[in-house]
Amino acid sequence: MSLNLTHLQQLEAESIHIIREVVAEFGNPVMLYSIGKDSAVMLHLARKAFYPAPPPFPLLHVDTTWKFREMIEFRDKMAAECGLDLIVHVNEEGVRQGISPFTHGSSLYTDIMKTEGLKQALDRYKFDAAFGGARRDEEKSRAKERIFSFRSANHRWDPKIQRPELWNLYNTRIKPGESIRVFPISNWTELDVWQYIHLENIPIVPLYYAAVRPVVERDGMLIMVDDDRLELKPGETVQYKSVRFRTLGCYPLTAAVESKATTLPQIIQEMLLTRTSERQGRLIDHDSAGSMEKKKQEGYF
Amino acid sequence: MAHQSELIEKDILAYLKSHEEKSLLRFITCGSVDDGKSTLIGRLLWDSKMVFEDQLASLEADSKKVGTQGGAIDYALLLDGLQAEREQGITIDVAYRYFSTERRKFIVADTPGHEQYTRNMVTGASTAQVAIILVDARKGLLTQTRRHSYLVSLVGIRHIVLAVNKMDLIDFDQQRFEAIRRDYEQFAATLGFGDITAIPLSALGGDNMIEPSANTPWYHGPALMNYLENVRIEGEDREKPFRMPVQWVNRPHLDFRGFCGTIASGVIRPGDELLVASSGRTSRVTRIVTMNGDLKEAVAGQSVTLTLADEVDISRGDMLSAIDAPPIHSRHPEAHLVWLHDEPLQPGQIYLVKTATAVTPGRVTAVQYAVDVNTLEQKKVSTLGLNEIGVASLELDRPISFDPYRQNRQTGSFILIDRFTNATVAAGMVITAAPLEPQGAQTQRLCTELSGAIRRVSLSEAAVSGTGVSVVDLSGEGGGIEFDVSASFLDYLGKGNRVLFRLRGLDQLEAVALIAYEHTLSFEFDRTAEGVSILIFKRGIRSGKRVSDDDGTGI
């Protein structure tokens, strides 16, 4: 027997198993599609799980209205290519109140536009299971997150009532109104994700590649001027620099890194040689110690 | 790792190519913080460069704020995550950590020692292939060493590292190391491990962690990392008979019917004959379908879609197997149960039993015995509480395909789910299957007397015995029943025991309900393949002994 499974083949098989299990046991699953590289891998795995059929669930994007324009273009293109229904949900109440990351601070903004928006969408469509692309290696509080993460009827995550996960036997039982967030790529690392994208030729948003883009330096971070809603503070000037993004979110909250990496191998090379973790580019994690965990308890991914 | 950085810088494509060939190893570390477990994992992460600078900065800050090392770097914090737990200074769960070298990617299940130890360790170990058992060189084998080893053997881990840590504190004394190794091998002889590798270590000083240490010239075995990179785990599952539990039937259109699942063991190729254990039907594999093209061969661990030559009725919950080595198909498995929940096992009560793909209602009819995890002694019990392990007989509503856990970890495992709270309450590992009635449940010969159309059944001391649950089987005959209830029968129920009545038809229900009514008992009703079953019990009395949260480890 010559064929030994590689680590990526094993991770792939585990993820496909999880995705199929959800479809077999839940009535109304949805895939949360954040348009980033992790979502790209998760979507690819879902297509593999059900090939030659398309994945039997829709994609849901919670749009904060502050995503990079290139992300939105990419999102629409991918959904069409995969033959999947795309549900785009915006927290209209937040929009009416004029919630913006600039005037309300990243914490309140994220809470209203992302967390509240997500809950609204899950409630409106009555999804009982939602796939998310989170990985355990991203952040310390996620190292212990289950693959099937139980949420109460008001979407709260309570560490005390999470279920032990043994072997690949997942307890999918819920009561009406309760739901489960499922993380099929829990056991992947950032390097695994990039290697898999490389190996499988998975399309990703061009913002991951370096290009000359307009940026301003703010609090030591490079913020891209993606549209005219970004108002310059005194002393700030728009500079053109060769930059790329290690992680994608709302453009005012996502820092760019200076880079010349224009190919996938170069991106991976850069990632391997760097000594800072990818979430450093996300402003919301810096708010307070354990901040990600508080958000999770409130219903954020 | 230095030459790796060089390769990354000079030839990233060559680096990527070499890393595509990596394999995956899942292991668990067993020990308490005192054994230097967190230091050991922290070092493995650090030496494989999995700690980033910003994480290190926050680690330094956290160490000052909540560390237990007097402000110095507290590696335990690298492995701690949940804020609430951190503030209480305890960890209540399993954390998964990742690192990789040129040869392998590693997933570490870290289960810190505290009162939920058994539950968490079994959870973490259930997916592990290797266990590192930590021993403090100054202390040698402790009760916890035996407990860890038993649990690891129970969940079927075959490769053991006996990590004799803190060798620096005993001056790298070879005699002491050899004595610990001998003690352990003697103790573990009955646990059925495949191999045991003892390594003299100092996690803090780095001795024999990555490189062989100059402090132990007398040791000629591998350094820990070297062992982890080379231990042979591949192929173990594929040498067993083919098993694929069907997870999903893929039917996009009339011309395609694919059976999706993860291959639990064995190898499959187009042309191979398969058996459906539940129906006894056979067919031939025509294609192994994937999005990257059809495969010529698929092996244990792969998630695939198979198409078959014949129109065979197969659905989720069925198991496809090799025709010459079918799985057990039975309603009456006997299994090791590890109780995971605060609420103790209620013998006789219906739980949901989830196996590789099937979910079916079932009940525990008897607990044969419990195992004391510290002494490995068997003790007679009537139920199991949190963190207790025992051997139990189950009765499922319908037969399920499975294998003994010793032969197949994927198809021999199950979980029990409470159908009211939906909590996962137990982990099960099949030992064997009783082909007929479960021997554990006490089915008593009944004293019956026919008077006219009514059968009089005497429920005396002889009708019930043992502890836990007794079965009164009246499913053999239909027709009216009347019971004569004795004081000893009621006394039996009053002690928290339960009685399961098996009846042929609904018309027999009233007689049982009448007992409950007259003696203020509660009952639970279920429809079964043969008729109906009713479990009667005294509410408010917990069967068996009281269970405390403490598993007696004191750590």
Side-chain angles (χ1 to χ4, degrees), chain A residues 136 139-146 187, chain B residues 27-29 37 41 76-82 85 91-98 107-112 114 120 123-124:
Chain A
R136 287 184 179 134
E139 210 264 343
K140 259 195 288 182
S141 80
R142 283 186 173 160
K144 296 168 191 180
E145 178 67 280
R146 306 298 199 282
N187 284 326
Chain B
F27 67 92
I28 181 169
T29 51
K37 180 162 63 98
I41 302 172
L77 295 176
L78 252 186
L79 315 168
D80 257 1
L82 303 183
E85 298 167 10
T91 326
I92 53 165
D93 227 322
V94 186
Y96 294 91
R97 289 282 150 190
Y98 306 86
I107 301 181
V108 192
D110 181 27
T111 54
H114 53 82
N120 293 340
T123 303

Tab-separated table of all heavy atoms in Angstrom, chain A residues 136 139-146 187, chain B residues 27-29 37 41 76-82 85 91-98 107-112 114 120 123-124:
chain	number	residue	atom	x	y	z
A	136	ARG	N	-8.990	27.228	15.171
A	136	ARG	CA	-8.590	27.264	16.577
A	136	ARG	C	-7.249	27.958	16.780
A	136	ARG	O	-6.954	28.432	17.864
A	136	ARG	CB	-8.504	25.847	17.132
A	136	ARG	CG	-9.860	25.205	17.363
A	136	ARG	CD	-9.658	23.847	18.018
A	136	ARG	NE	-10.914	23.171	18.292
A	136	ARG	CZ	-11.129	21.887	18.015
A	136	ARG	NH1	-10.194	21.165	17.424
A	136	ARG	NH2	-12.275	21.332	18.311
A	139	GLU	N	-6.691	32.424	17.681
A	139	GLU	CA	-6.759	33.241	18.880
A	139	GLU	C	-6.892	32.287	20.055
A	139	GLU	O	-7.470	31.223	19.933
A	139	GLU	CB	-7.998	34.141	18.772
A	139	GLU	CG	-7.913	35.468	19.470
A	139	GLU	CD	-8.550	35.400	20.847
A	139	GLU	OE1	-9.310	34.458	21.121
A	139	GLU	OE2	-8.249	36.281	21.657
A	140	LYS	N	-6.330	32.670	21.194
A	140	LYS	CA	-6.262	31.731	22.322
A	140	LYS	C	-7.632	31.196	22.753
A	140	LYS	O	-7.779	30.023	23.053
A	140	LYS	CB	-5.578	32.396	23.518
A	140	LYS	CG	-4.123	31.977	23.657
A	140	LYS	CD	-3.563	32.335	25.012
A	140	LYS	CE	-3.358	33.825	25.129
A	140	LYS	NZ	-2.773	34.193	26.426
A	141	SER	N	-8.643	32.081	22.781
A	141	SER	CA	-9.938	31.625	23.284
A	141	SER	C	-10.579	30.630	22.329
A	141	SER	O	-11.512	29.923	22.682
A	141	SER	CB	-10.880	32.805	23.527
A	141	SER	OG	-11.461	33.234	22.320
A	142	ARG	N	-10.058	30.560	21.102
A	142	ARG	CA	-10.638	29.614	20.147
A	142	ARG	C	-10.015	28.231	20.222
A	142	ARG	O	-10.528	27.283	19.636
A	142	ARG	CB	-10.513	30.154	18.725
A	142	ARG	CG	-11.535	31.234	18.449
A	142	ARG	CD	-11.532	31.671	17.011
A	142	ARG	NE	-12.646	32.585	16.771
A	142	ARG	CZ	-12.704	33.417	15.766
A	142	ARG	NH1	-11.726	33.474	14.892
A	142	ARG	NH2	-13.746	34.187	15.608
A	143	ALA	N	-8.906	28.117	20.961
A	143	ALA	CA	-8.224	26.818	21.040
A	143	ALA	C	-9.135	25.763	21.658
A	143	ALA	O	-8.967	24.584	21.425
A	143	ALA	CB	-6.941	26.936	21.855
A	144	LYS	N	-10.082	26.211	22.466
A	144	LYS	CA	-10.965	25.261	23.147
A	144	LYS	C	-12.359	25.241	22.551
A	144	LYS	O	-13.233	24.538	23.051
A	144	LYS	CB	-11.065	25.624	24.622
A	144	LYS	CG	-9.742	25.490	25.313
A	144	LYS	CD	-9.773	26.101	26.660
A	144	LYS	CE	-8.360	26.174	27.192
A	144	LYS	NZ	-8.323	26.769	28.512
A	145	GLU	N	-12.600	26.036	21.531
A	145	GLU	CA	-13.923	26.079	20.910
A	145	GLU	C	-14.212	24.728	20.273
A	145	GLU	O	-13.345	24.085	19.707
A	145	GLU	CB	-13.954	27.202	19.863
A	145	GLU	CG	-15.248	27.339	19.112
A	145	GLU	CD	-16.421	27.794	19.973
A	145	GLU	OE1	-16.978	26.938	20.675
A	145	GLU	OE2	-16.769	28.981	19.925
A	146	ARG	N	-15.453	24.291	20.420
A	146	ARG	CA	-15.848	23.046	19.799
A	146	ARG	C	-15.974	23.236	18.288
A	146	ARG	O	-16.096	24.345	17.798
A	146	ARG	CB	-17.213	22.587	20.335
A	146	ARG	CG	-17.285	22.494	21.819
A	146	ARG	CD	-16.278	21.457	22.334
A	146	ARG	NE	-16.615	21.030	23.675
A	146	ARG	CZ	-16.357	21.735	24.780
A	146	ARG	NH1	-15.731	22.884	24.692
A	146	ARG	NH2	-16.704	21.284	25.965
A	187	ASN	N	-9.330	22.722	12.719
A	187	ASN	CA	-7.996	22.153	12.922
A	187	ASN	C	-6.966	22.604	11.895
A	187	ASN	O	-5.857	22.092	11.870
A	187	ASN	CB	-8.074	20.621	12.926
A	187	ASN	CG	-8.632	20.095	14.238
A	187	ASN	OD1	-8.400	20.679	15.295
A	187	ASN	ND2	-9.378	18.999	14.181
B	27	PHE	N	-1.658	13.839	19.047
B	27	PHE	CA	-1.261	13.220	20.317
B	27	PHE	C	-1.828	13.987	21.498
B	27	PHE	O	-2.314	15.107	21.382
B	27	PHE	CB	0.256	13.043	20.418
B	27	PHE	CG	1.070	14.319	20.503
B	27	PHE	CD1	1.402	14.857	21.753
B	27	PHE	CD2	1.545	14.952	19.375
B	27	PHE	CE1	2.178	16.010	21.856
B	27	PHE	CE2	2.321	16.100	19.462
B	27	PHE	CZ	2.638	16.630	20.703
B	28	ILE	N	-1.782	13.291	22.636
B	28	ILE	CA	-2.295	13.884	23.864
B	28	ILE	C	-1.174	13.871	24.895
B	28	ILE	O	-0.348	12.971	24.906
B	28	ILE	CB	-3.538	13.112	24.375
B	28	ILE	CG1	-4.087	13.761	25.646
B	28	ILE	CG2	-3.252	11.627	24.606
B	28	ILE	CD1	-5.443	13.254	26.067
B	29	THR	N	-1.150	14.907	25.722
B	29	THR	CA	-0.180	14.935	26.812
B	29	THR	C	-0.938	14.720	28.115
B	29	THR	O	-1.953	15.360	28.356
B	29	THR	CB	0.536	16.289	26.859
B	29	THR	OG1	-0.431	17.328	26.856
B	29	THR	CG2	1.466	16.457	25.684
B	37	LYS	N	4.073	19.856	32.303
B	37	LYS	CA	3.403	19.572	31.035
B	37	LYS	C	3.280	20.811	30.152
B	37	LYS	O	3.549	20.766	28.953
B	37	LYS	CB	2.010	18.991	31.314
B	37	LYS	CG	1.246	18.670	30.037
B	37	LYS	CD	0.132	17.726	30.332
B	37	LYS	CE	-0.853	18.367	31.280
B	37	LYS	NZ	-2.007	18.923	30.614
B	41	ILE	N	4.768	21.446	26.348
B	41	ILE	CA	4.033	21.831	25.129
B	41	ILE	C	4.507	23.206	24.658
B	41	ILE	O	4.714	23.417	23.461
B	41	ILE	CB	2.517	21.850	25.377
B	41	ILE	CG1	2.032	20.480	25.851
B	41	ILE	CG2	1.775	22.237	24.096
B	41	ILE	CD1	0.595	20.461	26.306
B	76	ALA	N	2.098	28.119	30.859
B	76	ALA	CA	0.729	27.623	30.991
B	76	ALA	C	-0.253	28.580	30.320
B	76	ALA	O	-1.276	28.165	29.790
B	76	ALA	CB	0.381	27.441	32.456
B	77	LEU	N	0.082	29.882	30.334
B	77	LEU	CA	-0.833	30.870	29.749
B	77	LEU	C	-0.904	30.751	28.230
B	77	LEU	O	-1.889	31.139	27.619
B	77	LEU	CB	-0.410	32.283	30.151
B	77	LEU	CG	-0.506	32.588	31.652
B	77	LEU	CD1	0.025	33.974	31.951
B	77	LEU	CD2	-1.950	32.467	32.125
B	78	LEU	N	0.140	30.212	27.635
B	78	LEU	CA	0.111	29.976	26.190
B	78	LEU	C	-0.993	28.978	25.848
B	78	LEU	O	-1.527	28.967	24.757
B	78	LEU	CB	1.435	29.363	25.749
B	78	LEU	CG	2.437	30.184	24.950
B	78	LEU	CD1	3.562	29.283	24.525
B	78	LEU	CD2	1.800	30.855	23.748
B	79	LEU	N	-1.302	28.139	26.803
B	79	LEU	CA	-2.219	27.039	26.551
B	79	LEU	C	-3.588	27.300	27.161
B	79	LEU	O	-4.501	26.531	27.004
B	79	LEU	CB	-1.645	25.745	27.127
B	79	LEU	CG	-0.170	25.527	26.810
B	79	LEU	CD1	0.405	24.406	27.638
B	79	LEU	CD2	0.024	25.243	25.336
B	80	ASP	N	-3.702	28.390	27.899
B	80	ASP	CA	-4.977	28.727	28.513
B	80	ASP	C	-5.725	29.685	27.609
B	80	ASP	O	-5.130	30.519	26.977
B	80	ASP	CB	-4.749	29.410	29.867
B	80	ASP	CG	-5.002	28.451	31.004
B	80	ASP	OD1	-5.331	27.298	30.705
B	80	ASP	OD2	-4.892	28.863	32.151
B	81	GLY	N	-7.017	29.591	27.579
B	81	GLY	CA	-7.735	30.472	26.684
B	81	GLY	C	-8.901	31.213	27.285
B	81	GLY	O	-9.010	32.424	27.153
B	82	LEU	N	-9.772	30.517	27.954
B	82	LEU	CA	-11.020	31.151	28.324
B	82	LEU	C	-10.848	32.075	29.524
B	82	LEU	O	-10.310	31.683	30.549
B	82	LEU	CB	-12.074	30.091	28.628
B	82	LEU	CG	-12.327	29.127	27.477
B	82	LEU	CD1	-13.445	28.157	27.847
B	82	LEU	CD2	-12.692	29.854	26.215
B	85	GLU	N	-12.157	31.169	33.028
B	85	GLU	CA	-11.360	30.121	33.653
B	85	GLU	C	-10.036	30.666	34.125
B	85	GLU	O	-9.532	30.294	35.173
B	85	GLU	CB	-11.082	29.024	32.641
B	85	GLU	CG	-12.319	28.350	32.151
B	85	GLU	CD	-12.023	27.514	30.934
B	85	GLU	OE1	-10.833	27.331	30.615
B	85	GLU	OE2	-12.970	27.057	30.311
B	91	THR	N	-8.731	25.497	34.373
B	91	THR	CA	-9.076	25.244	32.979
B	91	THR	C	-10.088	24.115	33.008
B	91	THR	O	-9.875	23.134	33.698
B	91	THR	CB	-7.834	24.784	32.200
B	91	THR	OG1	-6.720	25.466	32.746
B	91	THR	CG2	-7.962	25.070	30.751
B	92	ILE	N	-11.169	24.273	32.274
B	92	ILE	CA	-12.197	23.241	32.398
B	92	ILE	C	-12.381	22.416	31.129
B	92	ILE	O	-13.416	21.845	30.914
B	92	ILE	CB	-13.565	23.841	32.801
B	92	ILE	CG1	-13.953	24.956	31.863
B	92	ILE	CG2	-13.553	24.273	34.228
B	92	ILE	CD1	-15.422	25.353	31.963
B	93	ASP	N	-11.360	22.385	30.301
B	93	ASP	CA	-11.638	21.747	29.032
B	93	ASP	C	-10.422	21.173	28.328
B	93	ASP	O	-9.366	21.050	28.900
B	93	ASP	CB	-12.303	22.764	28.123
B	93	ASP	CG	-13.504	22.172	27.451
B	93	ASP	OD1	-13.419	20.991	27.093
B	93	ASP	OD2	-14.480	22.874	27.274
B	94	VAL	N	-10.653	20.814	27.077
B	94	VAL	CA	-9.576	20.343	26.223
B	94	VAL	C	-9.200	21.480	25.284
B	94	VAL	O	-10.070	22.061	24.662
B	94	VAL	CB	-10.028	19.144	25.359
B	94	VAL	CG1	-8.853	18.582	24.579
B	94	VAL	CG2	-10.670	18.072	26.213
B	95	ALA	N	-7.917	21.796	25.205
B	95	ALA	CA	-7.475	22.807	24.243
B	95	ALA	C	-6.637	22.111	23.179
B	95	ALA	O	-5.919	21.159	23.471
B	95	ALA	CB	-6.652	23.878	24.939
B	96	TYR	N	-6.784	22.562	21.961
B	96	TYR	CA	-6.029	21.960	20.871
B	96	TYR	C	-4.959	22.930	20.407
B	96	TYR	O	-5.227	24.118	20.213
B	96	TYR	CB	-6.961	21.566	19.722
B	96	TYR	CG	-7.906	20.465	20.137
B	96	TYR	CD1	-9.147	20.755	20.684
B	96	TYR	CD2	-7.517	19.133	20.042
B	96	TYR	CE1	-10.003	19.742	21.100
B	96	TYR	CE2	-8.364	18.112	20.465
B	96	TYR	CZ	-9.603	18.419	20.986
B	96	TYR	OH	-10.432	17.422	21.404
B	97	ARG	N	-3.753	22.442	20.241
B	97	ARG	CA	-2.614	23.248	19.823
B	97	ARG	C	-2.016	22.652	18.568
B	97	ARG	O	-2.083	21.430	18.359
B	97	ARG	CB	-1.560	23.267	20.927
B	97	ARG	CG	-1.981	24.062	22.125
B	97	ARG	CD	-1.817	25.529	21.842
B	97	ARG	NE	-2.789	26.314	22.580
B	97	ARG	CZ	-2.998	27.597	22.366
B	97	ARG	NH1	-2.336	28.221	21.419
B	97	ARG	NH2	-3.876	28.250	23.068
B	98	TYR	N	-1.409	23.499	17.770
B	98	TYR	CA	-0.918	23.066	16.463
B	98	TYR	C	0.527	23.481	16.278
B	98	TYR	O	0.896	24.609	16.595
B	98	TYR	CB	-1.777	23.698	15.358
B	98	TYR	CG	-3.237	23.421	15.570
B	98	TYR	CD1	-4.007	24.248	16.387
B	98	TYR	CD2	-3.826	22.291	15.032
B	98	TYR	CE1	-5.336	23.967	16.640
B	98	TYR	CE2	-5.154	21.999	15.278
B	98	TYR	CZ	-5.902	22.842	16.074
B	98	TYR	OH	-7.212	22.544	16.327
B	107	ILE	N	-1.215	17.834	15.998
B	107	ILE	CA	-2.340	18.393	16.743
B	107	ILE	C	-2.232	17.843	18.164
B	107	ILE	O	-2.253	16.627	18.367
B	107	ILE	CB	-3.698	18.000	16.118
B	107	ILE	CG1	-3.767	18.490	14.673
B	107	ILE	CG2	-4.854	18.589	16.947
B	107	ILE	CD1	-5.086	18.185	13.963
B	108	VAL	N	-2.063	18.752	19.108
B	108	VAL	CA	-1.890	18.348	20.500
B	108	VAL	C	-3.184	18.590	21.253
B	108	VAL	O	-3.706	19.703	21.251
B	108	VAL	CB	-0.792	19.188	21.197
B	108	VAL	CG1	-0.428	18.554	22.540
B	108	VAL	CG2	0.418	19.358	20.305
B	109	ALA	N	-3.705	17.560	21.892
B	109	ALA	CA	-4.849	17.740	22.776
B	109	ALA	C	-4.293	17.938	24.174
B	109	ALA	O	-3.597	17.070	24.694
B	109	ALA	CB	-5.759	16.522	22.728
B	110	ASP	N	-4.567	19.084	24.749
B	110	ASP	CA	-4.044	19.398	26.080
B	110	ASP	C	-5.193	19.362	27.068
B	110	ASP	O	-6.159	20.115	26.942
B	110	ASP	CB	-3.395	20.784	26.046
B	110	ASP	CG	-2.814	21.136	27.404
B	110	ASP	OD1	-2.452	20.211	28.152
B	110	ASP	OD2	-2.717	22.336	27.699
B	111	THR	N	-5.092	18.453	28.051
B	111	THR	CA	-6.157	18.329	29.045
B	111	THR	C	-5.550	18.537	30.420
B	111	THR	O	-4.985	17.620	30.995
B	111	THR	CB	-6.796	16.938	28.992
B	111	THR	OG1	-5.764	15.968	29.115
B	111	THR	CG2	-7.526	16.720	27.700
B	112	PRO	N	-5.632	19.745	30.935
B	112	PRO	CA	-5.015	20.037	32.219
B	112	PRO	C	-5.650	19.238	33.351
B	112	PRO	O	-6.813	18.851	33.270
B	112	PRO	CB	-5.284	21.530	32.402
B	112	PRO	CG	-5.652	22.033	31.054
B	112	PRO	CD	-6.311	20.894	30.363
B	114	HIS	N	-7.407	18.512	36.718
B	114	HIS	CA	-8.322	19.103	37.694
B	114	HIS	C	-9.490	18.151	37.836
B	114	HIS	O	-9.432	17.030	37.354
B	114	HIS	CB	-8.778	20.491	37.263
B	114	HIS	CG	-9.344	20.487	35.887
B	114	HIS	ND1	-10.635	20.126	35.626
B	114	HIS	CD2	-8.754	20.722	34.701
B	114	HIS	CE1	-10.807	20.175	34.323
B	114	HIS	NE2	-9.695	20.524	33.743
B	120	ASN	N	-12.392	14.996	30.436
B	120	ASN	CA	-11.622	15.741	29.448
B	120	ASN	C	-10.538	14.899	28.803
B	120	ASN	O	-10.272	15.020	27.606
B	120	ASN	CB	-11.000	16.978	30.090
B	120	ASN	CG	-12.069	17.966	30.492
B	120	ASN	OD1	-13.192	17.914	29.987
B	120	ASN	ND2	-11.741	18.861	31.401
B	123	THR	N	-12.057	12.663	26.250
B	123	THR	CA	-12.413	13.465	25.083
B	123	THR	C	-11.185	13.749	24.225
B	123	THR	O	-11.181	13.502	23.020
B	123	THR	CB	-13.060	14.794	25.528
B	123	THR	OG1	-14.198	14.507	26.334
B	123	THR	CG2	-13.490	15.626	24.329
B	124	GLY	N	-10.130	14.242	24.862
B	124	GLY	CA	-8.913	14.582	24.116
B	124	GLY	C	-8.247	13.357	23.508
B	124	GLY	O	-7.711	13.418	22.403
